[in-house]
Amino acid sequence: SLDKSFSEQAVQLENRDVALELRSEAQHELSEINAALARLKDGTYGECAQCQRPIPVARLQAYPAATLCMSCADN
């Protein structure tokens, strides 16, 4: 429940908004991880979903859930 003071309510609401955003980001990241694991299982991990060429290892190290090579991601 919210405190009675307006300033405390504002802080609590802001904290709640931040917590909800962090939860949303975590759910999105988990979804990306699960999709990457599914690609590992079906043998398509590291393959660009658009051009089907290999995604460079450096990109996968920087962003393991990548589904596009840099060339396709830039377009």
Side-chain angles (χ1 to χ4, degrees):
S1 77
L2 295 175
D3 288 340
K4 299 289 182 211
S5 129
F6 179 76
S7 62
E8 279 298 312
Q9 286 181 11
V11 169
Q12 287 176 339
L13 289 172
E14 184 176 338
N15 288 344
R16 186 180 335 178
D17 289 346
V18 169
L20 289 172
E21 182 61 31
L22 289 172
R23 180 179 177 184
S24 176
E25 287 178 21
Q27 288 173 332
H28 178 73
E29 285 184 31
L30 183 57
S31 175
E32 286 186 327
I33 290 167
N34 285 331
L37 290 171
R39 290 191 304 279
L40 271 171
K41 188 175 182 178
D42 72 17
T44 61
Y45 182 79
E47 179 181 291
C48 179
Q50 190 168 330
C51 70
Q52 285 69 50
R53 285 184 260 154
I55 297 172
V57 172
R59 173 153 170 78
L60 292 172
Q61 288 174 333
Y63 180 45
T67 59
L68 299 174
C69 66
M70 287 303 296
S71 178
C72 291
D74 287 341
N75 291 328

